[in-house]
Amino acid sequence: MQTYLRKLFGTERIKIVPPPRQGLSIEIAVNDETIGTVHKDVDDGEISYSLHLTVLEEDLPAPRPSPVKPAMGSSGRR
């Protein structure tokens, strides 16, 4: 999984962190900061993995103010 994610996202900074005990979620970390979890699903003999990424609002950059657009209106003619 780690090799696949590193190739997919083009970075070696992704690390899969095994859980401290069996049955807990596997964590995904970038630069030692946990960014989400990996869950394994077995259905009819097929195995798939889902990734849940968590982004805290406080980690997002502040939104840029939108440029002011001129008001749409009549040209003054009637």
Side-chain angles (χ1 to χ4, degrees):
M1 178 65 70
Q2 179 174 281
T3 302
Y4 172 76
L5 292 173
R6 286 177 171 182
K7 182 178 178 185
L8 179 68
F9 292 112
T11 181
E12 294 292 314
R13 300 183 305 170
I14 294 175
K15 180 178 166 186
I16 297 295
V17 182
R21 58 182 202 270
Q22 193 167 356
L24 297 178
S25 298
I26 296 170
E27 295 181 343
I28 304 169
V30 175
N31 293 338
D32 296 322
E33 180 180 345
T34 300
I35 62 166
T37 55
V38 179
H39 302 275
K40 182 179 180 179
D41 184 38
V42 180
D43 186 27
D44 293 332
E46 292 185 354
I47 298 173
S48 63
Y49 299 89
S50 61
L51 282 72
H52 180 92
L53 298 179
T54 303
V55 179
L56 300 176
E57 185 175 21
E58 64 193 41
D59 291 337
L60 296 173
R64 289 195 220 155
S66 299
V68 177
K69 294 182 180 179
M72 300 290 287
S74 63
S75 62
R77 292 186 180 175
R78 291 191 175 202

